[in-house]
Amino acid sequence: MAARSLWRASTKVFAATAVAGAGAGSVAIANSDDPASALKLSTAVPLRLFRDAATAATIVFDYEYSLWGLPVGSIERERVKHEVHTRSATRLQELCFTNGGIYIKLGQHISQLEYLVPAEYVQIMRQSMLNRCPVSSYDQVLEVVKKELGGTPDEIFDEFDPVPIASASLAQVHIARTHDGQKVAVKVQHTHMTDTAAADYATVELIVNALYRLFPSFDYRWLVDEVRDSLPKELDFLIEAKNSIKCMDNFRRFSPHIAEYVYAPTIHWNMSTSKLLVMEYIDGAQVNDCKAIRKMGINTRDVSKLLSRTFAEMMFKHGFVHCDPHAANVLVRPLPSGSKRIFGKKKPQLVLLDHGLYKNLDPSMRINYASLWQGLVFSDANAIKENSVKLGAGEDLYVLFAGILTMRPWSKVIDPAVDHLVVQGTDGDRSELQMYASQYFPQITELLSRLPRVILLMLKTNDCLRAVNAALMEGSSLETFFIVGKVSSEAVIESKLLQSRSILSRVHVWFEELLLEARLFGMQIALWLLKLQKALTL
């Protein structure tokens, strides 16, 4: 009886996936104007669809069968669950790599959801999704270059390396040299993205909807909605190029004090199209490559502080945020001006790559988000609740929202200690976070369905930054939260001054600013004392 029930459940998943995906694939094929593309779709879509259905059904059956009859909370159930998580994450990883494109984008999203998916999924996806992306053949690259620029790479460029230096989910990058001698990076879109993107998206959407109907607690529809909104923009490299220009302009206008320390490669507009981007080649180390950074004579702590400051300025002052700052998208190099810090260390400059995924925070949302982080850093429970509610978390889930943002339980979030938000990265911390995620899974799912999608992307950005900072600091840095508190407070004060309509209201804001400065100064003193204490105990 049990076996029959399990078989029925997995068969339902397979059937729902197959039927839904077949419909999506048929529509995509019918809408294709290019006979060659239609032929590719007619052969590729059914095979990809079968993989989707088989993987989904296998995972469902494995969970149901392996955990059948094991008491909830028992040691044996936890042991078996860990094994099933590992097997299922590996199956999902292989599906993403085999199908490529959208599937890898989804895998990369999953790798950042520490607060929502089991640790096994996060670890397996994170270890592979950034360095095992599929590579297009040189013939495919030649096809794209010829179609976009009207000639072969050897005709368009003086030199063109057929072996890519990097490959990501949507494109790969080749080094080339223009006829006037400039070294450039050429970003070429994978041809399969154009061929199967529509069918892949429709299939994934219907799979997730089918799984939700069968298992209501499995609600990842918001993730599919986000991919639907962002993918067309990421596939248009001219939008990416314009985003990089706007990003740099924002630093010059709103953050001139650090504009020199943030850089984006110059775009060669006359050689760039929606599927091919030619830009200045930058030689630098990945932001999490501590060994290479130190070899350049740069202190990794300086990089961590600059990274935190850069993205805090984007979130709280610019309202135009690079939402994919994983390690491969941020390079570090010595500041070109050559100036050095005390003790001979070179000043770092961040080079931001891959500007395809940006989000706009409207002024009210930007200030509410800044006020929320100000409350988190200063342990202000009322401010945390007020601004969490304004951002959509509701009065019933604001505590959970604060926990997801900080990766800390509520007792730590409102602890007045200066280091209350620091996650040490110990096994105990990781176990606590996973227990938290497991215990509140339904509530977390509900919260993510409520929050505006732009805030969901801020969560992803925070997760990326947390991972990079952990590598740079070999743990967690108190200074990171000090910087976040300082920039968010500056943004809130600036907003209040702009809204002040009388001298009295301006005086009130100036007085509030003085109090904030005093509070930040006190926090800085506390940080110095903690550093001194740590140094003396070593």
Side-chain angles (χ1 to χ4, degrees):
M1 189 71 177
R4 191 181 303 120
S5 175
L6 292 172
W7 176 254
R8 191 179 300 120
S10 58
T11 302
K12 281 183 179 179
V13 172
F14 187 94
T17 302
V19 171
S26 299
V27 170
I29 294 168
N31 289 340
S32 177
D33 297 327
D34 182 1
S37 295
L39 179 60
K40 283 184 183 178
L41 285 170
S42 66
T43 54
V45 168
L47 180 59
R48 296 158 78 83
L49 173 60
F50 178 81
R51 291 192 202 107
D52 294 345
T55 301
T58 301
I59 289 174
V60 168
F61 182 83
D62 194 2
Y63 273 103
E64 296 288 341
Y65 178 77
S66 300
L67 299 177
W68 188 273
L70 296 178
V72 175
S74 67
I75 295 175
E76 179 64 13
R77 184 183 178 89
E78 292 306 307
R79 183 188 66 79
V80 173
K81 188 190 291 185
H82 167 71
E83 293 173 354
V84 180
H85 284 335
T86 301
R87 288 196 299 269
S88 300
T90 302
R91 291 185 184 113
L92 188 59
Q93 175 201 58
E94 291 308 314
L95 176 68
C96 290
F97 283 130
T98 303
N99 281 354
I102 291 175
Y103 293 84
I104 291 179
K105 294 296 293 183
L106 287 169
Q108 289 173 346
H109 274 288
I110 291 171
S111 74
Q112 302 297 334
L113 300 178
E114 291 180 280
Y115 45 82
L116 188 58
V117 300
E120 293 83 355
Y121 284 83
V122 172
Q123 291 164 4
I124 288 173
M125 293 294 184
R126 189 171 287 176
Q127 288 166 4
S128 58
M129 283 295 155
L130 297 180
N131 55 23
R132 274 187 55 195
C133 292
V135 176
S136 294
S137 68
Y138 183 65
D139 286 341
Q140 291 172 317
V141 171
L142 191 149
E143 177 187 335
V144 174
V145 174
K146 195 168 184 177
K147 185 175 181 180
E148 296 301 309
L149 299 180
T152 65
D154 291 338
E155 294 170 341
I156 301 298
F157 300 95
D158 189 50
E159 297 174 13
F160 188 92
D161 190 342
V163 179
I165 58 169
S167 182
S169 56
L170 306 184
Q172 63 192 46
V173 178
H174 294 257
I175 295 178
R177 193 173 295 278
T178 62
H179 288 298
D180 60 1
Q182 295 183 65
K183 191 175 183 180
V184 294
V186 184
K187 184 174 180 178
V188 184
Q189 194 170 115
H190 294 310
T191 54
H192 68 263
M193 288 306 305
T194 306
D195 295 337
T196 63
D200 283 346
Y201 170 75
T203 303
V204 170
E205 180 181 37
L206 290 166
I207 290 171
V208 171
N209 284 331
L211 287 170
Y212 172 69
R213 286 193 294 271
L214 292 168
F215 308 99
S217 63
F218 186 92
D219 188 3
Y220 286 79
R221 293 174 296 172
W222 61 270
L223 184 56
V224 179
D225 288 342
E226 177 50 44
V227 173
R228 176 180 58 193
D229 179 63
S230 64
L231 189 64
K233 297 173 186 174
E234 290 188 79
L235 287 173
D236 187 342
F237 291 170
L238 291 178
I239 292 178
E240 175 181 342
K242 291 172 185 175
N243 286 343
S244 71
I245 299 296
K246 183 175 179 180
C247 176
M248 291 300 98
D249 184 53
N250 282 344
F251 275 99
R252 286 187 289 270
R253 291 172 57 204
F254 305 123
S255 309
H257 50 291
I258 65 165
E260 181 186 7
Y261 299 92
V262 185
Y263 189 77
T266 303
I267 305 298
H268 290 250
W269 291 96
N270 62 325
M271 305 176 76
S272 297
T273 71
S274 62
K275 292 182 175 60
L276 188 143
L277 190 61
V278 180
M279 67 198 103
E280 172 188 7
Y281 175 79
I282 302 291
D283 189 17
Q286 280 196 5
V287 70
N288 65 344
D289 189 344
C290 296
K291 186 176 180 180
I293 291 171
R294 293 190 187 104
K295 194 173 181 179
M296 291 188 290
I298 297 172
N299 192 320
T300 55
R301 283 187 173 273
D302 291 339
V303 177
S304 177
K305 289 189 284 187
L306 178 58
L307 182 74
S308 299
R309 181 89 200 198
T310 296
F311 280 86
E313 296 275 338
M314 277 196 254
M315 290 179 190
F316 306 136
K317 293 185 179 181
H318 305 178
F320 185 65
V321 187
H322 187 308
C323 290
D324 202 14
H326 60 69
N329 284 344
V330 184
L331 299 180
V332 179
R333 67 176 180 176
L335 188 68
S337 65
S339 58
K340 295 183 179 181
R341 296 176 59 85
I342 194 169
F343 305 125
K345 289 293 183 181
K346 296 178 182 177
K347 292 183 179 180
Q349 184 184 64
L350 294 183
V351 180
L352 303 181
L353 307 176
D354 196 349
H355 297 263
L357 184 57
Y358 272 75
K359 284 295 177 182
N360 284 294
L361 289 164
D362 65 53
S364 63
M365 187 175 290
R366 175 174 62 82
I367 296 305
N368 288 336
Y369 193 57
S371 300
L372 171 58
W373 269 105
Q374 184 186 45
L376 290 167
V377 171
F378 291 138
S379 309
D380 187 338
N382 291 330
I384 294 170
K385 180 178 180 180
E386 177 186 347
N387 290 287
S388 293
V389 171
K390 286 180 180 179
L391 290 170
E395 297 199 3
D396 55 333
L397 294 179
Y398 74 91
V399 170
L400 191 62
F401 187 32
I404 287 176
L405 280 168
T406 62
M407 290 298 199
R408 298 273 72 191
W410 182 249
S411 60
K412 291 286 187 182
V413 170
I414 59 174
D415 188 331
V418 70
D419 60 345
H420 67 292
L421 295 183
V422 172
V423 180
Q424 299 294 348
T426 62
D427 290 338
D429 272 342
R430 282 189 286 271
S431 297
E432 184 179 25
L433 290 173
Q434 285 303 316
M435 182 185 71
Y436 197 65
S438 176
Q439 185 177 356
Y440 295 102
F441 181 83
Q443 292 92 333
I444 293 173
T445 303
E446 170 65 20
L447 173 65
L448 296 181
S449 69
R450 288 185 192 179
L451 294 172
R453 288 213 304 274
V454 65
I455 296 299
L456 295 178
L457 264 291
M458 294 304 103
L459 294 180
K460 179 196 172 186
T461 303
N462 287 336
D463 292 341
C464 287
L465 294 172
R466 186 182 291 112
V468 171
N469 271 316
L472 287 168
M473 305 303 297
E474 297 178 351
S476 184
S477 170
L478 285 167
E479 292 163 302
T480 295
F481 294 107
F482 175 77
I483 291 167
V484 169
K486 182 173 177 59
V487 179
S488 60
S489 297
E490 290 171 354
V492 171
I493 291 296
E494 287 171 9
S495 174
K496 288 181 178 180
L497 283 173
L498 286 173
Q499 294 173 8
S500 298
R501 294 291 179 265
S502 66
I503 294 177
L504 185 61
S505 62
R506 282 182 173 273
V507 170
H508 179 77
V509 175
W510 286 331
F511 182 69
E512 183 180 340
E513 184 177 12
L514 284 174
L515 290 177
L516 275 170
E517 288 295 334
R519 197 168 184 182
L520 286 166
F521 180 73
M523 182 179 282
Q524 183 70 73
I525 294 295
L527 287 175
W528 287 337
L529 291 175
L530 282 171
K531 282 184 185 178
L532 180 61
Q533 182 184 33
K534 185 177 179 181
L536 292 174
T537 55
L538 290 177

